[in-house]
Amino acid sequence: MNAQQQVRQLLDFIDASPSPWHAVATMERQLIAAGFQRLLETDEWLLQAGGRYYIIRDDSSIIAFVAGTKALETQGFKIIGAHTDSPGLRIKPHALFKTGELLQVGVEVYGGPILATFTDRDLSFAGRVSYRVDANEVATELLHFEQTLLRLPNLAIHMNRTVNEDGLKLNKQTELPLLFSTQSKEQLPADIFTDLLQQKIKREAADILSWELNVYDTQKGVFWGEEQAFYADSQLDNLASCHAGLSALLTDAALNSGDTIVCAFFDHEEVGSESTKGADGSFLPDTLERIALAMQLNTENYKRALANSFMLSVDMAHAYQPNFPAAYETEHKVYVNKGPVIKLNANQRYSSESISAALFMRWCEKAEVPYQQYAHRTDIPCGSTIGPLTAAKLGIRSVDVGNAMWAMHSIRESAGVWDHHYMIKVMRCFFAE
Ligand code: ZN
């Protein structure tokens, strides 16, 4: 498959995944098609060497792995980690309210989005809804409104004369509620909202109990630029890395390498990772230990396996935007379409160190892929990733890498076609080495 086709698949994957719950469901479909079997955390695991498995925790974190045929204690786990969530707006429990003659949807800010980018976009929502089945049982379904339902119109420049000098600042409580309709019905706003949900999940309105709903942009992904070498879509941070990791896993070279290869994609990275299914939770340690036990390793050999393991923590990086040169460290500018970026930070905001960085460089050389090195400006606080958390919890050597992109945390982010291709190539080399 060429680079353009790989990114076409990525854009289709993102457009089918308007929330972290949908992203996991989309990946699950791909895994099932490739012969992966689901394991439940509540069941006993009986694994076969060479078998393909996956586990989902609470609908939005997923770990897929191939049980190796080679000795796990000496080969270790080869892990690619990324996150399924993206910053944005989430709908509040009492969603609809009346303002004058208008109905609005109340939203909470999830993580650190660039809020101004949510104005004047074609918004809708998607997520999961839980409902009563009978007196004892609750069930959950995914819901995805494909039509545009919501909007955050800008204030006209005639009422905001200095917007171009001062920038667009939005008060999170009063200026983010989204417009939904004019109030014409007799119904209470709460009933109008559950009626809307009911259209999609086909349950009695009275049985709908709770939900988690993500606001998303209905505009599809596009290619752009000379030779269409760039692409734009929402949620590139970090669904582009999930897609690259899964694409590398689902290659013959990786599947048949004989090693225990793992893709671990977590929710809640954008809000600190501290949850049952976040990277700072027990999901990955629990899973790796259970794989080792099911492969008949004792504790001593499980610890040996961890000591022989390696993790690529993959998250997007900040590409140089020439209109804002002062934002970048002059000697560490990284460019779109110039290869995967190795992220280094002396204060351990990234998990990379010189040995793990050198190993990654070696895989790049082997895969004939260029690479770049990034350091943040020393006088601006640096972001972090799941890398340091998982590395600290498990004692696994790890490197933080990712592709260069523009406008991280905008509702419309942008990156390079060649970089996605390069990343899949080097990941495949890491898995299949
Ligand atoms: Zn990220």
Side-chain angles (χ1 to χ4, degrees):
M1 201 182 302
N2 68 29
Q4 210 84 17
Q5 287 166 331
Q6 284 172 322
V7 173
R8 181 67 263 162
Q9 277 196 347
L10 164 64
L11 299 178
D12 292 343
F13 165 65
I14 292 174
D15 295 338
S17 307
S19 77
W21 305 281
H22 287 83
V24 165
T26 309
M27 290 190 269
E28 180 181 25
R29 282 195 293 277
Q30 277 180 261
L31 289 164
I32 291 170
F36 280 70
Q37 236 178 292
R38 182 164 184 175
L39 300 172
L40 296 178
E41 291 192 90
T42 46
D43 286 352
E44 188 187 354
W45 294 2
L46 301 167
L47 306 184
Q48 281 180 339
R52 304 169 184 184
Y53 307 95
Y54 69 94
I55 310 106
I56 291 173
R57 191 177 272 193
D58 197 31
D59 296 338
S60 54
S61 290
I62 185 166
I63 297 177
F65 68 96
V66 179
T69 50
K70 298 179 191 164
L72 180 57
E73 60 273 27
T74 51
Q75 295 298 113
F77 299 95
K78 290 183 176 180
I79 307 165
I80 290 178
H83 64 91
T84 57
D85 60 324
S86 298
L89 304 177
R90 296 285 169 88
I91 294 180
K92 288 179 178 173
H94 295 161
L96 273 192
F97 64 92
K98 198 179 166 193
T99 317
E101 291 302 307
L102 290 164
L103 277 180
Q104 290 189 274
V105 173
V107 288
E108 206 176 339
V109 178
Y110 177 82
I114 306 175
L115 290 173
T117 65
F118 284 70
T119 58
D120 304 324
R121 308 292 310 185
D122 302 331
L123 304 176
S124 192
F125 64 88
R128 63 174 182 173
V129 178
S130 293
Y131 52 87
R132 187 184 294 112
V133 178
D134 57 36
N136 302 316
E137 212 187 319
V138 169
T140 300
E141 245 178 68
L142 297 191
L143 165 149
H144 177 189
F145 278 97
E146 291 178 37
Q147 73 268 46
T148 302
L149 287 173
L150 305 167
R151 183 165 289 266
L152 180 59
N154 242 301
L155 191 58
I157 197 160
H158 314 80
M159 289 111 143
N160 193 10
R161 292 278 183 197
T162 60
V163 65
N164 292 328
E165 289 69 42
D166 300 342
L168 181 61
K169 294 176 190 140
L170 297 164
N171 179 284
K172 290 176 183 157
Q173 172 62 25
T174 58
E175 292 171 342
L176 283 185
L178 307 171
L179 301 195
F180 173 62
S181 83
T182 45
Q183 166 76 306
S184 57
K185 297 178 191 156
E186 297 291 293
Q187 268 178 308
L188 290 170
D191 295 339
I192 295 173
F193 195 72
T194 35
D195 275 359
L196 184 68
L197 300 184
Q198 191 198 9
Q199 285 175 26
K200 282 282 170 192
I201 63 160
K202 310 275 185 257
R203 291 278 150 180
E204 292 293 322
D207 288 333
I208 295 176
L209 298 171
S210 60
W211 54 76
E212 289 171 89
L213 298 168
N214 182 49
V215 173
Y216 79 97
D217 189 348
T218 57
Q219 190 184 356
K220 305 281 188 219
V222 293
F223 291 93
W224 63 277
E226 192 193 12
E227 294 177 338
Q228 305 284 279
F230 308 129
Y231 63 96
D233 207 341
S234 62
Q235 307 179 93
L236 299 189
D237 172 15
N238 194 15
L239 293 187
S241 305
C242 293
H243 180 264
L246 198 64
S247 302
L249 178 79
L250 300 181
T251 54
D252 289 339
L255 292 170
N256 301 322
S257 70
D259 283 329
T260 301
I261 55 174
V262 183
C263 275
F265 303 140
F266 304 96
D267 195 359
H268 291 160
E269 191 272 348
E270 298 291 355
V271 292
S273 296
E274 204 182 333
S275 70
T276 49
K277 55 186 167 179
D280 204 17
S282 66
F283 190 29
L284 186 60
D286 285 351
T287 303
L288 297 185
E289 188 173 359
R290 291 186 68 176
I291 294 172
L293 294 174
M295 300 301 283
Q296 316 300 328
L297 268 63
N298 58 22
T299 305
E300 170 75 356
N301 282 335
Y302 170 53
K303 298 290 176 186
R304 287 174 66 202
L306 290 181
N308 281 313
S309 296
F310 194 97
M311 170 145 160
L312 291 187
S313 162
V314 194
D315 207 341
M316 303 302 274
H318 302 296
Y320 186 62
Q321 212 286 34
N323 298 2
F324 306 102
Y328 298 85
E329 210 294 310
T330 46
E331 300 307 312
H332 296 85
K333 294 181 198 124
V334 294
Y335 291 88
V336 167
N337 282 332
K338 299 284 181 195
V341 175
I342 303 165
K343 305 184 219 177
L344 292 137
N345 180 264
N347 296 296
Q348 300 305 300
R349 302 289 291 163
Y350 300 131
S351 62
S352 319
E353 25 74 12
S354 55
I355 296 174
S356 61
L359 286 165
F360 186 76
M361 290 169 184
R362 201 168 61 82
W363 291 314
C364 285
E365 285 168 2
K366 216 171 146 190
E368 297 181 331
V369 159
Y371 58 83
Q372 317 178 67
Q373 294 195 72
Y374 181 80
H376 213 58
R377 267 189 76 112
T378 313
D379 53 1
I380 300 179
C382 177
S384 191
T385 70
I386 62 163
L389 302 174
T390 46
K393 263 191 147 48
L394 292 160
I396 290 180
R397 192 186 290 288
S398 174
V399 64
D400 264 288
V401 297
N403 280 335
M405 67 176 289
W406 290 300
M408 188 179 285
H409 293 193
S410 164
I411 198 168
R412 196 80 180 162
E413 299 168 326
S414 221
V417 168
W418 284 107
D419 288 331
H420 196 60
H421 176 71
Y422 292 144
M423 184 59 89
I424 294 171
K425 233 174 141 184
V426 69
M427 285 172 161
R428 191 174 53 206
C429 182
F430 163 64
F431 271 155
E433 198 198 23

